């Protein structure tokens, strides 16, 4: 059974940083694209960052230059380093693996507020 477990969310002030981590278990995912999506209240879920098995990345325009995605294929983990956080980054962040219909984590809340 595939499981994705996110960690690292929380409350930070504007301009602060957070590091999200996702650990996948139940299979090997080193041949699949992994990434992060987010969903703010009243909005649709949107892609934040994706990383291919060989490390090619794609970012939403709104986070380019502030967020960095990385992965460790030996550990089945994907990490999102988020810097210069702003209130508009407030959302539930979901780990995602592009395999078949896709696998999702349970989500971790990120709140940016002073």
């Amino acid at each position: 059974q595939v499981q994705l477990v996110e960690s690292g969310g929380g409350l930070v002030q504007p301009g602060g940083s957070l590091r999200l981590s996702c650990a996948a278990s139940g299979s090997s995912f080193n041949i699949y694209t992994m990434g992060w999506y987010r969903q703010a209240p009243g909005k649709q879920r949107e892609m934040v960052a994706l990383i291919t098995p060989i490390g090619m990345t794609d970012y939403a325009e709104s986070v380019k230059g502030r967020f960095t995605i990385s992965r460790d294929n030996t550990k089945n983990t994907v990490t999102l380093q988020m810097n210069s956080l702003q209130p508009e980054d407030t959302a539930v962040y979901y780990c995602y693996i592009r395999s078949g219909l896709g696998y999702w984590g349970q989500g971790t809340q990120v709140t940016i507020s002073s």
Side-chain angles (χ1 to χ4, degrees):
Q1 182 179 356
V2 175
Q3 276 194 315
L4 276 63
V5 179
E6 300 115 333
S7 60
L11 170 65
V12 296
Q13 293 185 342
S17 298
L18 280 174
R19 185 178 180 89
L20 304 183
S21 294
C22 173
S25 61
S27 185
S28 177
F29 300 103
N30 58 8
I31 63 171
Y32 299 111
T33 292
M34 303 177 75
W36 294 90
Y37 283 68
R38 67 186 181 187
Q39 188 166 18
K43 294 187 177 181
Q44 288 189 328
R45 191 172 296 189
E46 63 174 357
M47 186 275 288
V48 176
L50 297 171
I51 185 166
T52 70
I54 61 170
M56 295 180 66
T57 58
D58 187 22
Y59 295 94
E61 285 295 327
S62 60
V63 307
K64 282 182 179 178
R66 300 188 298 123
F67 291 10
T68 303
I69 189 170
S70 59
R71 66 189 289 166
D72 186 334
N73 289 335
T74 65
K75 298 180 179 178
N76 271 354
T77 59
V78 60
T79 300
L80 186 67
Q81 177 66 43
M82 305 186 295
N83 299 327
S84 301
L85 285 161
Q86 300 301 319
E88 52 266 34
D89 295 316
T90 295
V92 177
Y93 284 69
Y94 297 91
C95 179
Y96 169 73
I97 294 178
R98 185 181 291 169
S99 170
L101 295 177
Y103 296 104
W104 296 91
Q106 80 285 357
T108 185
Q109 178 68 47
V110 171
T111 303
I112 315 303
S113 176
S114 55

